[in-house]
Amino acid sequence: MATFNKTGGQQQLKAAMQQSELCTNCGACVDLCPYNVAFNDRIVFLDPCDRDEGRCYAFCPRTPTDLSALYDGLFDAADLTPELGAVKGLYVTRAADPAIRDKAQHGGTVSALMALALKEGMIDSAVLAEDSGELEPRGTVVADADQVASHAGSKFVVSPTVAAFNRLAKGEAQAIGVVATPCQAMALAKMRLKPYAADASHIDKLKLVVGLFCGWALSLQKLAGILEPHLKGSEILKLDIPPSGHACMEVTTEQGMITIPLEEINPAIRPACSGCLDMTAEFADLSVGSARLDGGWEESQGWNQVLVRTEAGQKLMDLAKDAGALEFREAPAGAMDKLKQASMNKKRRALEHLAAQSGSEDDLIYLDPSDPLVIKLKQSWAAQ
Amino acid sequence: MSILSIDDPGKQLLYMGNEAIARGAIESGVRVCAAYPGNPSSEIIASLAKVGKELGIYVEWSVNEKVALEVAAGASFAGIRSLCAMKHNGLNVAVDFLYNLNLTGTGAGMVVVVADDPLALSSSNEQDTRHYARMGDLPLLEPGTFQEGKDMVKTAFEMSEELGIPVMLRSVTRFSHARGNVTLGDIPRGQNKPFFDVTKPRLPKPVEKTHKLLHEKLATAGQKFEDLPFNLYQGPDKPELLILTCGTGWYYTKEALHHLKATDRVGIAKVGTSWPLPAKFITEQLAKSQRVLFVEEIDPFLESNVKTFYAQNAAELGPKEFLGKVTGNVADMGENTPDNVMAAIAGCLDDCVVPARDQEHAAQAAEASKRLATTRALGLCAGCPHRATYWAVKNALALDGRGGFVVGDIGCYAQGRGPSGFQQMKTMHAMGSGAGVANGFGQLTRFGMDQPVLAVCGDSTFFHAAIPALTNARYNGSNLLMLVLDNSATAMTGFQPHPGTGRTAMGDTAPVVDVTKVCQSLGAEVIVLDPFDVQKTTETIYDLLQKQDGIKILVLKQVCAMVRTRMGKRLYKVHVDESKCLGEACGCNKYCSRVFKCPGLTFDKTTGKAGIDEAICNGCGVCASLCPESAIIKEAL
Amino acid sequence: MNAVANDPFNVIITGVGGQGNVLASQIIGQVLVQAGKFVTIGETYGVTQRGGSVMSHLRISDLDQWSPLIPEGHAHLIVGLEPIETLRVMAGYGNPDTLVLTNLRPIMPLDVIAGTATYPEVSEVLAELQRLSQKVWTLNATEIALDMGDPIFSNMIMIGAIAGLGLPSVDIDPAVFGSVLEVVLSRGKAATNLEAFEKGRNAVEELHQ
């Protein structure tokens, strides 16, 4: 199979992002060098680099990407599914520690897993999105298991956390874990294929990627503008988006919770998200989202569903069970099918969007239309 | 010791044109000299300042040319001979006073020296000062030889004292900065006590009386000019072509005729008293030939005025053919050279050819030079604080993302418009114009302008012209960020002191007029930083740009690299640890030499490593703070 | 006292702004005026000091005061403080009989440092100078100056080198040179600069290729 990869440097990256508007602010192109910085919810190219190939272009999840090579390089062929990527198993879990669950978005599984990984020495540093009263998250590094929980909570805004990994990898840390959105997980996956030999020792420090399910992410600037009149000066304690049927965003402040119709929030969605095929963070070691339980949102809110994808992910999951860091319950019947359907919907919308944007079915901007995976996806829709 | 104070009448020395002028003032008993630095005039006052104490002369750098002229006038009113010197732009600043002074009259001799810069070799513009003399009804002399540079000043003092008006002397770069033989005269030692006669107040009105009087004085000057040796003729009695020239044209035309072997065909009439025209002399010269070629810099001043004179006397003078700038025989702007004067003359004569260079040699040399002699662009010196400032500005504006820009003016920091200053400066005009123009931009948010504006000025420019603009911004609420680049020097013109440096022209300690305190007195927000701390400077500029509340001032205080080196106070010794240097590899790509572009940095293509050129580096250490691999090491000295 | 050959004898001292060509030309000129010559020197400085190409034109004559600019192609001697500047001036003002004295140490133009232009091999520059001139002398004035402790001495070393050429039209009397130094330089600096002058006088070598 022909490889679809192109090489390029900063100028090609800049041109590609300007033309396609697919930049997700993942931060993969930042902190590899002094030329690019992440600031105020965007990537700023401070100075021009004239190299015709570089890591920023190679690691970006939205430059031409050979999907098949990524899956083949990182996962067991036997585990691969067309709908959800590699799946070793599906679990429904929540953090055993109520203190973690209190701070968490839903079940607190991500916090519990990262804290455990730190405690057990699987990693010595965890890269998380920082939580604060403000909307703007920054990738933050935690070396102490007890600090993990304080950074819990979904942000709905992609912060450039991969930049934090880039910084960490140059320093003293030897084993790094990252909590990543699907686009960030793909960037880390591209790194893991080690296209640059000089970087190999840095990449080898990446031991664990915990992915987050993601429908779309929001632009910080636009979201802040939309929320401002509703907040009337009070601080945000929590943001949440219940399952699609509810069609709203829940904003919790000291005054209580208000719901804002999704159609008001939609203008804040990053244009880049329309081109994303990945709902379940397929390039992680394991991926975590909110559960879908029979008792509806009330019940589901407190639990997570987890897809384990790699040996490292399985190891951590087993550890969590043995150490009692997570509580488990049975996944409801049809949970996997529901997940697959939701994921396929996103993939379909994304491919349609990419073709519409380029004006041609044969130009999927950053994906190869001749990739067997892409062809298989299209065939499965045609069959329906 | 200085060659200017040598008391040895009759001795011949090599003097710079400006030194000849200064020596002329000394030999005229001048006692008060004032100026603002400006190329090509700076050496006049600088050289006088060196010998001021020795010779009992007061010499000062004033904050601007208007004040300098006023200082000289005050001395003159009190019976003390005074000199004021400036470059052409300076006269633009001083002329409001000059055009009142011509009406109020002067006391003791007062000479105003203005040095023009044809082709703007060291200026923002070129302009011909002689028009000011005509407009202001003031006598003006133009030296054609180095000796005249001295002798004309003495004549000017005498004439000024006799007539009671200032007399102007006009120079150009190729005279002021050139050197030639000058024979010394006496240095007078008499002293009179200054006294201002209050029964004779200096008032410019009523103009019916004063302007009329000025015209009479000018006419008297014209008569006196006829007897001066500065107007002379050299050549055949009846030349085929008469050249009327002045200033640098004298040497150029003499040399041109020598190379053209046309000294028997062409005569040169040198006019040394350019305004008012010496009528008798002009009449005599015009009578010599029917064809006249004018050679002068910059404008057709002599050309147009002689033609006007001719128009009034046409019947007497008969038909003439006038050739010059107006007819296209000589370039209508820029400077003259022996080569273009040769071409102009040959173009006016039959059978006269400019002796050609060896064409083959010239072609070979041109080809070799084009191939091998890499272009040498101007830029900021190694270690210049302005490089660090513009680096911080570039980054802050990129992060801000609203298309902000910098407006500025003249000085070393004007390099901000070029690659050395990362092309940040987008407008440049006169002294202090950056702050002024920013005032305009800063009032446009009400109409929807969303680009933030920054202004830059130097410390000397701050005192010269920026304070009124900053006051205006504070008073009228213009939204701008002012960067005052305080490097403790008037650097561009030769590191002269100014009110902020604590030293006077004559080397005495002076109270420091603190830039920061003056800014604070406006009531604006003022922050002071060291631009070498580029991180902090970038963050501060960014933060200040977010504010919409009127004028903010950031004083970036760091000594000029050249001044620092002269003081022997380099900050760091800098070298590159090659084991850490990434060179062209991804992650760096020659960030220091290619992007920061300091001339103290080198990149060796064979080793692929950066390096420090110890002959150029001035040890500021900024590159060390920028290197992503910490491969550049700075050791404090 | 020697008569000036090819009257006026035209010398161009060239280099990069800040190298000291102005001081060098001034000192040489002063020495020659003391010897009874007419000397005119033309300079361009100011803005060009900031790293640009600079020239001093010297006209030495027994007959008259000449213009401060030498006509194109009329240089008799080109003295370069920097190799490509020497070549640049040769293109503007040289002819087949021109004599050349050049320093060997390059000063990188800004574009070369930034990587957008290249600096030629000095040997190539010297080969061209040799082809285009009557004779070429060289020395590494900057190296000698660095050995003395400061690159600024290179211009004084070059004056010494000019003296070392032994040209009758540019006769630099060391005693007069010393007294001129006393006047022109700050107190106490004359001695080291005289030393630099002597080193230059002895270091100049004719180029044989």
Side-chain angles (χ1 to χ4, degrees):
Chain A
M1 182 189 62
T3 45
F4 179 57
N5 290 335
K6 286 186 200 166
T7 53
Q10 185 217 51
Q11 294 304 301
Q12 289 74 31
L13 175 67
K14 192 171 167 193
M17 291 304 108
Q18 271 167 358
Q19 221 204 355
S20 66
E21 291 191 303
L22 287 176
C23 174
T24 67
N25 205 39
C26 74
C29 60
V30 172
D31 283 318
L32 297 167
C33 70
Y35 294 80
N36 313 334
V37 299
F39 186 79
N40 235 358
D41 205 34
R42 66 191 219 283
I43 305 297
V44 180
F45 297 101
L46 282 181
D47 297 293
C49 171
D50 63 359
R51 285 184 55 90
D52 49 26
E53 57 163 309
R55 289 169 297 163
C56 56
Y57 187 92
F59 297 162
C60 172
R62 296 293 180 260
T63 53
T65 301
D66 185 340
L67 279 182
S68 293
L70 278 175
Y71 285 117
D72 293 342
L74 296 169
F75 305 105
D76 289 332
D79 295 331
L80 287 170
T81 70
E83 303 91 348
L84 298 171
V87 179
K88 285 191 185 291
L90 168 68
Y91 303 83
V92 177
T93 63
R94 69 178 185 181
D97 183 350
I100 293 181
R101 289 204 307 268
D102 265 346
K103 296 234 174 74
Q105 183 77 9
H106 299 127
T109 302
V110 172
S111 300
L113 285 173
M114 288 308 261
L116 180 68
L118 276 169
K119 223 176 186 175
E120 296 295 322
M122 212 172 143
I123 57 178
D124 58 35
S125 328
V127 180
L128 318 164
E130 179 181 336
D131 175 83
S132 57
E134 317 152 12
L135 274 177
E136 187 184 0
R138 290 166 267 259
T140 209
V141 176
V142 166
D144 186 341
D146 295 329
Q147 287 177 359
V148 174
S150 66
H151 295 277
S154 294
K155 311 301 176 291
F156 295 102
V157 179
V158 179
S159 63
T161 51
V162 185
F165 168 74
N166 290 337
R167 281 197 301 276
L168 258 191
K170 283 197 268 197
E172 303 292 303
Q174 293 300 311
I176 303 170
V178 182
V179 176
T181 56
C183 50
Q184 291 168 338
M186 181 186 272
L188 292 165
K190 282 179 137 184
M191 288 185 197
R192 275 171 147 170
L193 290 194
K194 294 189 214 167
Y196 282 84
D199 244 15
S201 59
H202 288 170
I203 307 300
D204 284 339
K205 293 183 183 184
L206 181 63
K207 304 297 182 193
L208 176 68
V209 178
V210 174
L212 299 172
F213 287 14
C214 177
W216 34 251
L218 301 166
S219 152
L220 170 70
Q221 307 255 323
K222 292 184 185 154
L223 180 66
I226 292 167
L227 290 182
E228 204 203 316
H230 294 277
L231 291 177
K232 297 172 194 129
S234 27
E235 249 187 57
I236 299 172
L237 296 176
K238 187 174 168 178
L239 290 174
D240 207 348
I241 308 225
S244 50
H246 296 248
C248 69
M249 170 180 259
E250 296 174 348
V251 183
T252 310
T253 67
E254 311 130 347
Q255 324 288 349
M257 185 180 71
I258 43 175
T259 53
I260 298 172
L262 267 188
E263 51 190 27
E264 258 191 69
I265 303 293
N266 282 343
I269 296 176
R270 293 190 85 97
C273 298
S274 312
C276 177
L277 276 69
D278 189 352
M279 196 189 84
T280 59
E282 294 175 25
F283 295 100
D285 290 298
L286 40 78
S287 308
V288 182
S290 61
R292 295 288 182 268
L293 302 174
D294 296 324
W297 184 234
E298 281 284 327
E299 196 193 0
S300 306
Q301 270 190 79
W303 289 86
N304 295 110
Q305 46 185 343
V306 183
L307 290 169
V308 171
R309 308 185 185 279
T310 65
E311 273 182 38
Q314 190 65 62
K315 186 171 161 206
L316 182 58
M317 208 55 174
D318 295 341
L319 207 54
K321 193 165 188 190
D322 293 340
L326 290 178
E327 286 175 13
F328 292 74
R329 65 183 273 175
E330 227 179 280
M336 187 71 105
D337 284 335
K338 261 199 200 149
L339 210 45
K340 283 184 176 179
Q341 195 170 44
S343 176
M344 286 300 264
N345 281 343
K346 186 174 182 186
K347 287 186 197 296
R348 184 175 189 164
R349 280 198 307 270
L351 285 176
E352 283 168 358
H353 172 86
L354 290 170
Q357 187 171 333
S358 72
S360 161
E361 286 290 330
D362 295 324
D363 181 357
L364 297 174
I365 305 180
Y366 73 103
L367 298 174
D368 184 357
S370 68
D371 188 322
L373 285 174
V374 175
I375 293 174
K376 205 163 164 190
L377 283 173
K378 286 187 168 175
Q379 279 169 351
S380 66
W381 294 316
Q384 282 168 7
Chain B
M1 237 237 287
S2 164
I3 54 173
L4 229 61
S5 58
I6 292 177
D7 197 351
D8 192 351
K11 185 171 176 72
Q12 200 174 77
L13 287 171
L14 183 76
Y15 264 30
M16 195 198 293
N18 281 344
E19 289 170 339
I21 292 168
R23 179 71 190 201
I26 291 169
E27 291 180 10
S28 306
V30 77
R31 278 197 281 163
V32 170
C33 306
Y36 180 81
N39 273 316
S41 70
S42 310
E43 293 81 2
I44 298 170
I45 254 52
S47 58
L48 283 165
K50 266 204 207 143
V51 298
K53 286 190 179 154
E54 191 189 330
L55 299 177
I57 303 173
Y58 173 68
V59 185
E60 78 166 46
W61 288 121
S62 311
V63 293
N64 64 34
E65 292 85 351
K66 176 166 177 283
V67 174
L69 192 62
E70 290 157 348
V71 167
S76 169
F77 293 156
I80 302 294
R81 283 193 168 182
S82 65
L83 176 89
C84 179
M86 61 193 75
K87 70 180 291 171
H88 62 269
N89 302 90
L91 189 54
N92 298 337
V93 175
V95 79
D96 190 7
F97 180 72
L98 186 64
Y99 284 0
N100 280 279
L101 184 66
N102 56 359
L103 297 179
T104 66
T106 49
M110 177 171 158
V111 175
V112 180
V113 181
V114 185
D116 289 350
D117 186 11
L119 208 59
L121 297 167
S122 317
S123 304
S124 57
N125 70 341
E126 65 172 5
Q127 56 181 74
D128 195 326
T129 284
R130 298 175 296 171
H131 298 297
Y132 274 121
R134 183 166 180 272
M135 184 167 150
D137 294 320
L138 291 170
L140 180 140
L141 303 164
E142 259 189 284
T145 70
F146 297 98
Q147 190 65 35
E148 279 184 349
K150 184 168 79 79
D151 296 341
M152 278 185 176
V153 170
K154 293 164 86 165
T155 301
F157 271 109
E158 284 162 15
M159 187 169 292
S160 167
E161 211 153 270
E162 280 168 27
L163 298 174
I165 45 174
V167 172
M168 296 176 70
L169 187 93
R170 186 250 192 170
S171 175
V172 294
T173 306
R174 296 292 180 200
F175 174 78
S176 275
H177 283 173
R179 290 182 151 96
N181 299 52
V182 173
T183 306
L184 303 185
D186 291 306
I187 299 178
R189 295 294 180 187
Q191 315 289 335
N192 58 308
K193 182 176 152 176
F195 176 72
F196 178 58
D197 186 350
V198 298
T199 66
K200 301 199 172 96
R202 298 285 175 182
L203 306 167
K205 290 163 71 165
V207 293
E208 307 92 330
K209 200 161 144 242
T210 56
H211 203 173
K212 189 168 180 341
L213 179 59
L214 180 60
H215 286 162
E216 287 164 11
K217 292 178 178 181
L218 193 69
T220 310
Q223 285 158 14
K224 288 180 185 287
F225 281 168
E226 307 288 6
D227 301 323
L228 293 176
F230 308 133
N231 305 316
L232 54 93
Y233 176 77
Q234 180 177 290
D237 291 336
K238 288 274 172 229
E240 270 176 64
L241 176 71
L242 171 74
I243 297 179
L244 263 175
T245 189
C246 52
T248 52
W250 172 240
Y251 285 141
Y252 293 155
T253 48
K254 272 205 303 172
E255 177 140 8
L257 292 183
H258 167 81
H259 290 294
L260 292 171
K261 299 188 172 21
T263 42
D264 52 345
R265 299 170 68 185
V266 179
I268 311 173
K270 175 175 105 58
V271 177
T273 62
S274 301
W275 188 257
L277 289 179
K280 207 159 129 262
F281 175 79
I282 297 291
T283 308
E284 279 166 16
Q285 303 315 313
L286 288 178
K288 292 192 164 90
S289 176
Q290 245 188 19
R291 304 180 75 229
V292 184
L293 172 65
F294 293 91
V295 174
E296 59 184 324
E297 290 171 328
I298 300 161
D299 291 339
F301 181 82
L302 193 61
E303 185 173 335
S304 305
N305 288 307
V306 168
K307 283 164 152 178
T308 306
F309 175 81
Y310 170 78
Q312 287 153 352
N313 301 280
E316 188 194 324
L317 290 166
K320 299 281 172 204
E321 187 190 2
F322 291 115
L323 306 160
K325 290 174 187 274
V326 174
T327 54
N329 291 84
V330 180
D332 64 357
M333 45 74 75
E335 66 165 1
N336 291 334
T337 64
D339 292 292
N340 63 27
V341 171
M342 262 193 262
I345 297 171
C348 296
L349 292 175
D350 297 325
D351 304 318
C352 182
V353 169
V354 177
R357 272 181 85 173
D358 180 328
Q359 290 304 313
E360 204 191 315
H361 180 275
Q364 280 175 359
E367 186 279 328
S369 178
K370 185 157 180 235
R371 183 169 33 98
L372 298 174
T374 319
T375 320
R376 204 174 282 278
L378 299 178
L380 298 166
C381 304
C384 176
H386 302 327
R387 175 176 289 105
T389 294
Y390 283 122
W391 181 262
V393 168
K394 161 183 75 77
N395 288 351
L397 287 177
L399 293 173
D400 179 83
R402 287 178 288 164
F405 54 90
V406 178
V407 294
D409 45 60
I410 303 161
C412 284
Y413 55 94
Q415 289 288 339
R417 69 196 190 282
S420 207
F422 316 109
Q423 283 139 327
Q424 291 302 298
M425 192 159 90
K426 300 300 183 183
T427 78
M428 181 181 98
H429 298 87
M431 296 289 283
S433 292
V437 168
N439 262 266
F441 282 119
Q443 292 293 2
L444 301 180
T445 31
R446 73 198 65 220
F447 300 128
M449 174 143 175
D450 45 27
Q451 296 162 272
V453 65
L454 295 92
V456 286
C457 77
D459 41 349
S460 194
T461 311
F462 175 82
F463 290 114
H464 184 294
I467 296 174
L470 298 180
T471 311
N472 188 71
R474 173 70 180 155
Y475 167 61
N476 278 312
S478 183
N479 193 50
L480 66 104
L481 172 55
M482 181 80 221
L483 302 182
V484 181
L485 309 181
D486 185 353
N487 60 356
S488 306
T490 314
M492 187 83 257
T493 43
F495 314 105
Q496 294 85 7
H498 62 63
T501 60
R503 222 177 21 95
T504 66
M506 292 171 77
D508 296 317
T509 334
V512 171
V513 181
D514 187 62
V515 170
T516 307
K517 291 203 181 125
V518 172
C519 292
Q520 284 165 342
S521 73
L522 294 173
E525 176 180 2
V526 182
I527 298 176
V528 183
L529 287 180
D530 174 4
F532 284 165
D533 185 348
V534 284
Q535 180 65 24
K536 186 120 192 268
T537 305
T538 307
E539 285 166 12
T540 307
I541 292 175
Y542 177 83
D543 289 340
L544 290 172
L545 287 176
Q546 307 315 306
K547 299 186 177 187
Q548 293 286 319
D549 54 355
I551 181 173
K552 280 81 57 185
I553 305 177
L554 177 59
V555 180
L556 291 168
K557 214 169 153 63
Q558 180 55 254
V559 176
C560 158
M562 293 292 112
V563 171
R564 199 178 260 295
T565 304
R566 284 179 189 200
M567 293 191 311
K569 286 188 179 163
R570 281 186 194 169
L571 287 170
Y572 299 104
K573 187 167 183 333
V574 186
H575 74 275
V576 173
D577 178 351
E578 291 195 356
S579 67
K580 291 187 180 162
C581 173
L582 287 182
E584 288 172 306
C586 174
C588 172
N589 195 16
K590 302 179 292 180
Y591 193 54
C592 60
S593 61
R594 191 182 65 88
V595 186
F596 189 57
K597 292 201 256 265
C598 175
L601 294 158
T602 62
F603 181 75
D604 187 334
K605 283 210 159 125
T606 32
T607 60
K609 302 289 180 188
I612 305 293
D613 187 341
E614 55 184 354
I616 310 277
C617 173
N618 282 312
C620 73
V622 174
C623 58
S625 65
L626 295 179
C627 176
E629 299 300 309
S630 303
I632 305 182
I633 319 285
K634 64 183 192 200
E635 296 157 66
L637 288 174
Chain C
M1 195 194 313
N2 296 306
V4 174
N6 302 312
D7 200 307
F9 190 78
N10 300 325
V11 182
I12 298 183
I13 303 181
T14 180
V16 178
Q19 274 191 294
N21 66 306
V22 172
L23 185 61
S25 63
Q26 179 192 353
I27 292 171
I28 295 170
Q30 201 68 261
V31 169
L32 292 171
V33 164
Q34 300 310 303
K37 308 290 175 191
F38 286 101
V39 176
T40 308
I41 303 179
E43 312 270 16
T44 314
Y45 54 86
V47 161
T48 50
Q49 249 187 358
R50 303 301 177 258
S53 309
V54 290
M55 280 193 287
S56 302
H57 288 209
L58 282 91
R59 327 294 305 279
I60 306 164
S61 174
D62 285 320
L63 307 171
D64 202 0
Q65 196 91 47
W66 294 85
S67 96
L69 286 177
I70 298 169
E72 289 173 7
H74 279 73
H76 296 110
L77 169 67
I78 296 175
V79 177
L81 302 176
E82 202 281 344
I84 60 174
E85 297 314 314
T86 315
L87 182 59
R88 215 192 299 279
V89 169
M90 174 61 79
Y93 296 93
N95 62 68
D97 295 320
T98 304
L99 304 167
V100 173
L101 163 64
T102 185
N103 185 11
L104 293 169
R105 173 61 121 104
I107 294 183
M108 296 300 152
L110 295 178
D111 288 339
V112 172
I113 294 168
T116 53
T118 50
Y119 194 92
E121 291 295 325
V122 174
S123 55
E124 256 196 272
V125 176
L126 293 176
E128 287 298 340
L129 286 171
Q130 182 123 74
R131 185 166 71 103
L132 294 165
S133 66
Q134 196 195 127
K135 224 190 233 184
V136 179
W137 291 272
T138 67
L139 82 163
N140 203 325
T142 313
E143 290 302 310
I144 300 171
L146 285 169
D147 278 338
M148 287 184 70
D150 197 327
I152 200 60
F153 289 122
S154 47
N155 63 338
M156 216 53 73
I157 292 165
M158 287 303 281
I159 301 178
I162 296 169
L165 298 181
L167 299 173
S169 302
V170 194
D171 185 11
I172 305 176
D173 181 333
V176 181
F177 176 76
S179 68
V180 168
L181 280 186
E182 289 288 346
V183 178
V184 166
L185 297 178
S186 322
R187 210 170 283 281
K189 295 243 171 103
T192 2
N193 282 282
L194 259 172
E195 200 191 313
F197 174 84
E198 281 305 317
K199 285 191 196 271
R201 208 147 65 126
N202 297 319
V204 67
E205 283 177 1
E206 192 179 332
L207 182 67
H208 298 288
Q209 271 179 197

